[in-house]
């Protein structure tokens, strides 16, 4: 039986063409729509924050909504809504979702001119009409972003129509004018209309229109560009670049799955992109979805996935993996990595380790030298803070752990100072605010404190000299969390290791830094050369 979820216009569901009755609850409809669009596992806690952040019983409200959705989408032989104590996911493999279906057929150029016209009419309806929840800010931001993407899709359908060989010259003009009525400052569309008037021999109209556009842009304080390539979207500041489009498409195609470790802990992992595989070992705070748009590290995943298959995972106690775990030790972190590699059936891959993930990567490379083709370490340290520490240093670190338990995810100036002064000294207030919220969504205060304690006992110093694979060590020259000398010492002890210093003061790179691009290019070059 075919289940269809239509998100363009008002939300509707049909089963074999028969309309299903929806619950009146706006938040329940919003929840169903969000899970259909994302098609990825969601933590229950995150969904509560997303739609019921001020409800007196958000967990109960979520359970009620899920029960209503379950009745709609589940059948005896098709359990599409699956959930456990921590996560919820809508399996969409056998569900036709109108937005996704349109995008796939549009990308594959499978739509006839009549189908394009029908979809254009459908796209004129508001996306999820009537499901706005103004006081639910997280959901409303997501909805606004998706509606902007639907506007983009609308223009893509228009472009297909005016480029279609069976579209008359008059209709080409009509479709371009429709597009400009929606986006009057779209530079590419303006030039497209001017070219079309010229092609049709309407020279006077062309000159008049060009003068009108120039005046419009001047009045708005936008510089007019005298020439553009043929694509209507090229150099258009109102729309994402081709690289940004590809990045969003990669995220949409990201496959989030789960595997089990030796102690039966469930680990979430994701694979995105194509090419020679890179496995990124988990490090301090990750989330397979939130990382993609994070001000920290996001270019790493986006840019590497342009040329490589990038496999990431959330270690135990963190992200989409199990939070309630007994073992949160260094050996358990290595087990997490081993489970992901085994599940993905990789024969050979480049291994990327960041911060304490570098130590995990070193241990794995020693245990499995046949698997690792390249070892890449950033912000690495070979021994934790307890190793050879003075009593004063131990007291200071333990104070940080105590502060972490009380200040996690809060706007606590003392706690913020720890990260602003050592992890990312150049972060602005917006980036620090994002980091606070990211912490709260990514793990619990208890687990954060356990992590910090575990990191203190790491010790892989005796393994450095035994690494046999080509190794690249990258370190920020001004890293105030893990001093430059530590990274240089690691490179000196690993046979034939290369060392690259970045012009940055961050232990965590900010995506806007030039050093972030240098990092990605250095990694790509290292893999290509070895």
């Amino acid at each position: 039986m075919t289940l269809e979820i239509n998100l363009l216009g008002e939300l509707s569901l049909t089963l074999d063409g028969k309309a299903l009755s929806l619950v009146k609850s706006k938040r329940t409809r919003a929840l169903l729509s969000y899970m259909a669009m994302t098609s990825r596992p969601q933590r229950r806690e995150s969904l509560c924050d997303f739609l019921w952040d001020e409800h007196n019983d958000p967990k109960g409200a979520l359970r009620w909504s899920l029960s209503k959705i379950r009745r709609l989408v589940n059948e005896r032989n098709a359990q599409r809504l699956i959930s456990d104590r921590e996560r919820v996911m809508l399996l969409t493999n056998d569900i036709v979702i109108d937005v996704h279906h349109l995008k796939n057929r549009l990308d594959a150029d499978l739509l006839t001119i009549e189908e394009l016209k029908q979809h254009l009419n459908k796209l004129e309806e508001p996306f999820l009409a009537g499901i706005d929840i103004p006081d639910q800010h997280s959901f409303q931001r997501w909805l606004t972003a998706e509606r902007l993407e639907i506007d983009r899709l609308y223009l893509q359908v228009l472009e297909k129509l005016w480029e279609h060989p069976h579209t008359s010259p008059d209709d080409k003009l009509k479709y371009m004018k429709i597009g400009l009525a929606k986006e009057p400052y779209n530079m590419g569309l303006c030039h497209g209309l001017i070219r079309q008037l010229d092609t049709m021999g309407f020279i006077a109209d062309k000159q008049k229109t060009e003068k009108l556009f120039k005046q419009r842009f001047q009045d708005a304080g936008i510089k007019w560009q005298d020439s553009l390539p043929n694509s209507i979207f090229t150099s258009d500041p109102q729309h994402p670049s081709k690289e940004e489009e590809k990045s969003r498409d990669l995220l949409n195609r990201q496959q989030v799955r789960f595997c089990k470790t030796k102690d039966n802990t469930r680990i979430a992992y994701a694979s995105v992109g194509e090419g020679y595989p890179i496995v990124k070992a988990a490090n301090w705070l990750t989330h397979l979805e939130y990382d993609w748009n994070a001000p920290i590290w996001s270019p790493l995943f986006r840019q590497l996935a342009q040329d490589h298959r990038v496999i990431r995972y959330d270690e135990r106690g963190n992200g989409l993996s199990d939070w309630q775990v007994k073992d949160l030790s260094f050996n358990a972190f290595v087990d997490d990595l081993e489970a992901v590699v085994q599940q993905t059936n990789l024969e050979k891959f480049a291994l990327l380790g960041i911060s304490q993930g570098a130590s995990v990567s070193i241990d794995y490379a020693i245990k499995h030298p046949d698997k690792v083709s390249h070892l890449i370490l950033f912000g690495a340290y070979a021994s934790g803070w307890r190793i050879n520490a003075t009593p004063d240093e131990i007291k200071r670190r333990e104070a940080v752990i105590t502060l972490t338990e009380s200040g996690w995810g809060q706007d606590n100036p003392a706690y913020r100072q720890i990260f602003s002064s050592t992890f990312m000294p150049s972060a602005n207030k917006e980036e620090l605010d994002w980091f606070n919220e990211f912490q709260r969504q990514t793990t619990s205060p208890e687990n954060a404190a356990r992590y910090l304690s575990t990191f203190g006992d790491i010790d892989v110093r005796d393994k450095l000299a035994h690494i046999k694979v080509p190794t690249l060590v990258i370190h920020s020259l001004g890293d105030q969390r893990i001093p430059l000398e530590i990274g240089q010492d690691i490179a000196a002890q690993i046979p034939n290791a290369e060392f690259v210093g970045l012009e940055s003061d961050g232990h965590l790179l900010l995506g806007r830094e030039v050093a972030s691009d240098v990092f990605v290019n250095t990694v790509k070059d290292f893999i290509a050369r070895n």
Side-chain angles (χ1 to χ4, degrees), residues 220-465:
I222 303 173
K223 183 179 179 181
W224 173 261
Q225 299 179 43
D226 289 323
S227 63
L228 283 177
N230 288 332
S231 172
I232 65 164
F233 298 124
T234 302
S235 302
D236 182 2
Q238 297 190 43
H239 289 108
S241 66
K242 293 296 183 182
E243 289 74 18
E244 290 170 326
E245 285 181 36
K246 190 171 182 180
S247 172
R248 183 183 177 94
D249 182 56
L250 283 169
L251 177 59
N252 289 336
R253 290 190 284 110
Q254 177 175 249
Q255 301 169 355
V256 178
R257 295 175 178 167
F258 296 89
C259 62
K260 292 289 186 72
T261 62
K262 296 174 184 177
D263 63 355
N264 214 35
T265 298
R266 184 162 38 190
I267 301 298
Y269 68 96
S271 175
V272 63
E274 298 177 353
Y276 192 80
I278 299 174
V279 176
K280 177 193 169 291
N283 56 279
W284 170 249
L285 298 186
T286 63
H287 192 293
L288 294 177
E289 288 187 307
Y290 302 154
D291 281 352
W292 197 262
N293 293 308
I296 305 166
W297 293 120
S298 59
L300 186 155
F301 313 126
R302 298 181 184 205
Q303 295 179 36
L304 288 181
Q306 304 288 338
D307 304 303
H308 295 274
R309 179 189 177 194
V310 177
I311 297 168
R312 303 177 291 129
Y313 64 95
D314 294 331
E315 65 190 356
R316 60 184 60 212
N318 181 68
L320 292 173
S321 295
D322 284 346
W323 284 23
Q324 304 299 323
V325 291
K326 292 182 179 179
D327 190 0
L328 210 60
S329 65
F330 177 77
N331 289 335
F333 296 153
V334 178
D335 289 345
D336 294 347
L337 173 55
E338 289 177 331
V340 170
V341 173
Q342 182 178 359
Q343 186 70 26
T344 50
N345 296 316
L346 293 174
E347 294 183 3
K348 207 86 170 176
F349 58 89
L351 181 57
L352 169 62
I354 298 167
S355 194
Q356 94 279 357
S359 302
V360 171
S361 300
I362 289 168
D363 192 89
Y364 182 93
I366 292 295
K367 291 180 178 178
H368 306 279
D370 57 318
K371 289 282 190 181
V372 181
S373 60
H374 309 74
L375 182 61
I376 303 157
L377 311 174
F378 175 76
Y381 56 91
S383 58
W385 56 266
R386 282 197 184 93
I387 308 301
N388 297 328
T390 65
D392 287 344
E393 175 66 11
I394 291 176
K395 287 182 180 179
R396 189 179 71 82
R397 293 281 190 164
E398 288 176 345
V400 170
I401 293 175
T402 301
L403 187 58
T404 295
E405 289 186 283
S406 63
W408 194 249
Q410 300 178 17
D411 191 14
N412 184 323
Y415 188 64
R416 287 168 64 102
Q417 183 61 24
I418 294 172
F419 287 92
S420 64
S421 63
T422 60
F423 276 78
M424 38 188 187
S426 298
N428 57 36
K429 184 180 184 302
E430 182 180 354
E431 289 160 341
L432 288 172
D433 288 344
W434 176 91
F435 193 70
N436 278 344
E437 179 64 14
F438 179 71
Q439 289 176 157
R440 189 179 65 81
Q441 294 177 329
T442 303
T443 196
S444 65
E446 296 78 15
N447 281 352
R450 292 173 69 191
Y451 280 136
L452 290 175
S453 181
T454 298
F455 299 163
D457 297 322
I458 289 174
D459 193 355
V460 294
R461 292 173 296 176
D462 61 335
K463 299 180 180 182
L464 298 176

Side-chain angles (χ1 to χ4, degrees), residues 64 85 270 316 353 425 498 500:
W64 183 86
R85 294 179 64 182
R316 60 184 60 212
E498 297 182 26
V500 173

Side-chain angles (χ1 to χ4, degrees), residues 470-487:
T471 301
L472 171 65
V473 179
I474 309 175
H475 213 96
S476 292
L477 298 177
D479 191 332
Q480 297 178 34
R481 184 72 179 177
I482 306 298
L484 173 63
E485 293 75 17
I486 292 178

Side-chain angles (χ1 to χ4, degrees), residues 375-380 471-479 482-492 496-504 506 509 514-527 529-530:
L375 182 61
I376 303 157
L377 311 174
F378 175 76
T471 301
L472 171 65
V473 179
I474 309 175
H475 213 96
S476 292
L477 298 177
D479 191 332
I482 306 298
L484 173 63
E485 293 75 17
I486 292 178
Q488 291 173 327
D489 187 55
I490 288 175
N496 301 313
E498 297 182 26
F499 180 85
V500 173
L502 298 181
E503 292 289 344
S504 173
L509 288 180
V514 174
S516 184
D517 290 331
V518 174
F519 175 91
V520 172
N521 293 332
T522 300
V523 170
K524 287 184 177 182
D525 176 69
F526 177 72
I527 294 175
R529 288 190 289 106
N530 295 275

